[in-house]
Structure formats: C-alpha cells, structure tokens
C-alpha cells in the first residue's frame, strides 16, 4: 500500500532524541510511505514513491499530517471500578497520600479489583484500550498493581495478555506488585517487600515462561515513595528482579524526593518515571507541580511523556491531551512533545528499534491526522485530531470513541 499526499510526513527518524536534540521531526513535505506485510518498505516524497511503486494500491492522506503512532510508555490500564468520590475529596483539599494512608486511594481500587473476575476486568479495561487506540496510541505499556497478592496479580497479567491478543493496540506489560503495601501487611511493610522480592518475583518468572513463552520478560516496577516502598525496599525488589533477568522501571520522586531517580540510574532501569520532585542534583527542581521537563532536557535526559492513565491520579486516555498539557505546563514546543510521545516513549519501553518513527524496516504504526500542520497538535485539545490509525499496516478509520476496519 502506498500512502501518499501527506502535507507533512513526520518521520522522527534517527533514534531516541537526547537533551536538546528533542524535537527533530524529520519532516518530508508532500510525503509518502509504502507499507507491505506490517512493515514500512519505503519513505519519500509522493512524486518519488509514485514513480517507484506505480502499481501499488493507494491510500490518500488528503494533504494531512502523517506521523508515527503514539507510544504511551506508562499506564495503569487494568483495574475495576472508579474513584470519582476521592476526586471530589481531593478537590475539596484532602491530600492524595493522606487518602491512601486512611485505607483509600490505591487500596480502594485494590479491593474492587480483587473481587472482580477476569471477565469483568477485561470488560472494564477493553473500552479504555479502544479509546486510547482511537486517539492514536498504537502501543501502550500497561502495569499490574491493583492485586497486591499473587493470585490477583497473576489474574491481571492473564487479562493483559488476553487484551494484548484481542486488540489492535500492542501492550508492553509491567509487573507492579510493589504498587502499595498490601492491606494484609499494613503494619509490616518489610514483610510485604520480602514477599514481593522472595516469593512473587521467582513465581512470576516461572509463570511467564509457561504462559507467555514467546514474549520477552515483563518489566518490574516499584512505587518508590515515602508512604509506599522506601529506597532500601525499592532497591531490594529491583535488585532481585534484575538478578532474575527482568528489565526495570521505577516510580520515582512523584510526591517526595527519596532518591528513586538515582536508584533507577544505578540499576540501569529502562526508565525513571514521574520525577516531579527530582532534586537539584542532578536535574534541578523548580517549585512546580509538573515534572521539570526543560531541566531534564538541559541535563541531557531522554524525555518521554505518558498518560499514566489510572483511576487515582489521572484518568486520561489521550496522548494528544498529554501533548497539549506538556506544551502549556512544561513549556515544550509541539515538536518536542511529539518526539517525546513517539520515538522517545518507544525508547522508554525498549522498543525504539521497531516502533516510534517512520523508517524503512519499522512496524507500520502510523496516524493520519485531520489537520495539515503538526503544530495543531498541542495547540488544540479536547478534540480528537486522529482521522485514521494504521496499525501493523492495517487501516482503521476512527469514529468518535470507536474504531472499525476501513
Ligand atoms: O502513577 N503513584 C502510583 N501509582 C499511580 C496512582 C495509582 C492510583 O492512585 O491508583 C500513579 O500516579
Ligand atoms: Fe504511574
């Protein structure tokens, strides 16, 4: 298939964009792409590729932007129920970690999730996933973490594997058994830490090798935070995970800076996530409620953006909204935010060699937007600008909140 007549083809070619390289879109005006068998086989101008592939079936991009599909590198996609009541409490002034300490927060979602069947979990998660897809997310990371005991954590993994199988969107799965101290261990956080490190992780490895032998091992993540797992407990879990061969992620410095970002660097984690309160060494903290993205760029970090979609802190399914917010709150340009949600976020889940850009040999995961200029992304919000999603070479026309094969 020859996709032609893109006003701007954003290739994002050249690999993850570190520091001030962020925002290199690699634009081809009047761009075109040839796709065969799920893969990109040619990238160029419409004139060039029409000449080179005269007999190829065509898809007209209609003088709109053609860009890589969004990669959402951090979500807590699978849970049961909602926490609209706590949202009201928070807007009334109560702090997130105080709600958690009072047995609400993550723990209230854990209660709802533990009692939900596989079918219920899948039925409640599926529409979120499809809405993400219709808003242009072609790959998403998805964490467990609302089970906090082996049986439920494994049910969440099973449900995620089933959703990955049935849906057009690809999932990169993460085990987050260390998302909060399980209620059974309320007064014994070290006991739960030992349980995760010494019992759950070895069991997970065995389970994964039987249930998903063809997939790479999942990431292992820890919520490293004052009222969750302290630095030493986080180190214990992540070190054990690493010795079992799992790639690592970490929730670091979200509410308090207790050293999680440095731990991520020390252990070679694939990403350190949140970093809202990361200290002056090495990145510098502006007293703000958003991650100091510009300082991370100045410090030569590879910046990626995610929805963090979860029922507690942010139920947002749209990477387009993330971009709009990052432009305004973190002072990113649209080009920087686009790179941070495609090639760089692919890098954060260690998939930058297969997705995140439009280059020959890569998986054909692309978006045709309904606008002619990439700067409309970020400028506009609250409206879905995605017209068509191309996933592994298949074209899906997006209607509001749903998708169908073209
Ligand atoms: O990334 N911080 C920990 N986990 C989530 C929130 C989960 C929840 O509140 O349910 C986060 O913000
Ligand atoms: Fe998170």
């Amino acid at each position: 298939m020859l996709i032609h007549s893109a006003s701007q083809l954003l290739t994002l070619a050249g690999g993850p964009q570190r520091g001030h390289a962020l925002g290199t879109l690699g634009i081809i005006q009047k761009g075109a792409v040839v796709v065969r068998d799920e893969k990109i086989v040619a990238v160029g101008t419409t004139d060039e590729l029409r000449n080179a592939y005269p007999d190829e079936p065509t898809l007209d991009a209609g003088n709109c932007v053609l860009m890589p599909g969004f990669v959402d590198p951090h979500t807590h996609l699978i849970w049961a129920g909602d926490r609209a009541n706590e949202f009201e409490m928070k807007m009334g002034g109560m702090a997130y970690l105080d709600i958690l300490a009072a047995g609400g927060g993550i723990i209230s979602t854990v209660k709802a999730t533990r009692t939900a069947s596989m079918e219920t979990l899948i039925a409640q998660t599926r529409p979120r996933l499809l809405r993400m897809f219709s808003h242009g997310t072609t790959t998403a990371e998805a964490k467990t973490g609302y089970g906090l005991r082996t049986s439920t954590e494994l049910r969440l993994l099973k449900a995620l594997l089933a959703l990955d199988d049935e849906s057009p969107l690809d999932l990169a799965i993460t085990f987050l058994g260390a998302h909060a101290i399980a209620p059974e261990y309320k007064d014994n956080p070290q006991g739960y830490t030992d349980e995760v490190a010494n019992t759950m992780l070895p069991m997970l490895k065995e389970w994964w090798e039987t249930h998903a032998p063809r997939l790479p091992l999942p990431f292992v993540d820890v919520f490293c935070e004052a009222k969750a797992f302290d630095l030493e407990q986080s180190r214990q879990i992540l070190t054990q995970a690493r010795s079992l061969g799992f790639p690592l992620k970490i929730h670091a410095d979200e509410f308090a800076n207790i050293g999680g970002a440095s731990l991520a660097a020390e252990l070679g984690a694939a990403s350190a996530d949140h970093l809202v309160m990361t200290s002056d060494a090495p990145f510098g903290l502006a007293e703000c409620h958003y991650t100091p993205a510009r300082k991370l760029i100045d410090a030569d970090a590879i910046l990626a953006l995610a929805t963090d979609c979860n029922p507690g802190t942010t139920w947002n399914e749209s990477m387009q909204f993330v971009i709009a917010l990052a432009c305004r709150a973190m002072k990113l340009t649209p080009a920087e935010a686009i790179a941070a949600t495609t090639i760089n976020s692919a890098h954060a889940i260690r998939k930058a060699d297969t997705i995140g850009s439009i280059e020959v040999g890569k998986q054909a995961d692309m978006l045709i937007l309904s606008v002619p200029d990439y700067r409309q992304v970020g400028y506009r919000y609250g409206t879905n600008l995605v017209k068509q999603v191309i996933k592994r070479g298949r074209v899906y026309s997006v209607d509001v909140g749903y998708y169908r094969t073209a």
Side-chain angles (χ1 to χ4, degrees):
M1 174 177 62
L2 168 68
I3 308 171
H4 63 87
S5 304
S7 55
Q8 299 172 337
L9 165 58
L10 315 184
T11 64
L12 279 298
Q17 301 181 4
R18 187 179 283 284
H20 293 281
L22 187 69
T24 314
L25 296 181
I27 300 180
I28 301 175
Q29 311 283 342
K30 299 201 175 65
V33 177
V34 177
V35 174
R36 283 186 186 163
D37 299 330
E38 305 193 359
K39 293 247 168 80
I40 295 165
V41 299
V43 179
T45 65
T46 296
D47 287 347
E48 279 164 10
L49 296 195
R50 267 196 175 131
N51 286 333
Y53 296 85
D55 301 323
E56 202 73 14
T58 59
L59 175 68
D60 189 348
N63 210 31
C64 289
V65 172
L66 177 60
M67 64 171 287
F70 293 120
V71 178
D72 188 344
H74 182 138
T75 82
H76 304 252
L77 188 64
I78 187 150
W79 73 82
D82 70 73
R83 308 224 297 273
N85 59 329
E86 290 182 6
F87 176 70
E88 189 175 57
M89 285 155 71
K90 277 183 287 188
M91 294 308 102
M94 192 154 173
Y96 175 81
L97 289 179
D98 291 338
I99 296 176
L100 178 61
I106 293 175
I107 299 305
S108 60
T109 300
V110 167
K111 285 181 188 147
T113 303
R114 283 180 174 184
T115 54
S117 67
M118 225 345 232
E119 292 67 34
T120 303
L121 285 165
I122 290 178
Q124 292 197 12
T125 303
R126 181 184 291 122
R128 290 196 273 277
L129 203 134
L130 294 180
R131 284 192 298 265
M132 288 166 76
F133 186 71
S134 72
H135 284 80
T137 299
T138 46
T139 300
E141 186 259 15
K143 301 175 199 297
T144 67
Y146 293 112
L148 307 186
R149 65 179 181 205
T150 306
S151 58
T152 315
E153 286 292 318
L154 292 183
R155 185 167 351 122
L156 293 173
L157 286 172
K158 231 181 188 164
L160 285 173
L161 287 169
L163 285 162
D164 182 33
D165 236 34
E166 69 161 48
S167 78
L169 198 151
D170 287 320
L171 295 180
I173 296 173
T174 296
F175 175 77
L176 182 55
H179 192 193
I181 304 299
E184 295 77 8
Y185 287 88
K186 196 172 177 303
D187 303 312
N188 179 16
Q190 187 54 44
Y192 186 61
T193 304
D194 294 341
E195 163 91 14
V196 173
N198 304 335
T199 308
M200 285 189 187
L201 289 180
M203 197 181 284
L204 168 67
K205 175 137 188 203
E206 225 188 282
W207 187 92
W208 191 270
E209 282 164 355
T210 335
H211 289 79
R214 271 183 299 278
L215 294 178
L217 284 176
F219 293 98
V220 168
D221 192 349
V222 173
F223 187 20
C224 178
E225 191 67 48
K227 291 183 187 164
F229 298 84
D230 69 22
L231 192 62
E232 271 323 300
Q233 291 164 341
S234 302
R235 189 194 306 277
Q236 182 188 340
I237 291 167
L238 292 174
T239 306
Q240 166 77 331
R242 190 172 65 166
S243 73
L244 290 168
F246 292 104
L248 310 179
K249 284 183 168 285
I250 181 164
H251 276 69
D253 309 342
E254 184 176 0
F255 296 96
N257 172 23
I258 63 166
S262 310
L263 181 62
E266 176 193 319
L267 296 178
S271 67
D273 296 32
H274 289 291
L275 308 183
V276 182
M277 304 307 246
T278 295
S279 66
D280 264 307
F283 299 131
L285 163 70
E287 222 4 80
C288 68
H289 298 291
Y290 290 93
T291 306
R294 294 238 70 91
K295 298 203 172 177
L296 290 166
I297 294 168
D298 290 343
D300 226 21
I302 300 177
L303 180 78
L305 297 170
T307 60
D308 191 24
C309 183
N310 74 71
T313 53
T314 167
W315 188 335
N316 164 39
E317 294 154 356
S318 167
M319 292 295 273
Q320 294 173 65
F321 177 73
V322 168
I323 291 173
L325 189 60
C327 290
R328 286 162 184 76
M330 299 173 173
K331 302 284 177 265
L332 295 193
T333 64
E336 289 172 331
I338 287 171
T341 50
T342 54
I343 188 65
N344 280 13
S345 48
H347 180 69
I349 55 168
R350 297 209 167 142
K351 286 190 190 293
D353 52 337
T354 52
I355 56 173
S357 65
I358 298 180
E359 292 178 271
V360 171
K362 281 208 168 175
Q363 198 167 293
D365 290 4
M366 296 178 279
L367 309 175
I368 298 176
L369 305 183
S370 57
V371 293
D373 188 317
Y374 75 85
R375 289 168 298 192
Q376 297 250 356
V377 182
Y379 166 52
R380 290 170 60 181
Y381 57 93
T383 307
N384 188 5
L385 299 182
V386 172
K387 190 166 75 175
Q388 280 158 310
V389 180
I390 296 135
K391 178 62 192 180
R392 292 178 182 260
R394 282 186 72 180
V395 183
Y396 299 83
S397 290
V398 172
D399 289 325
V400 180
Y402 200 62
Y403 75 92
R404 62 187 153 79
T405 314

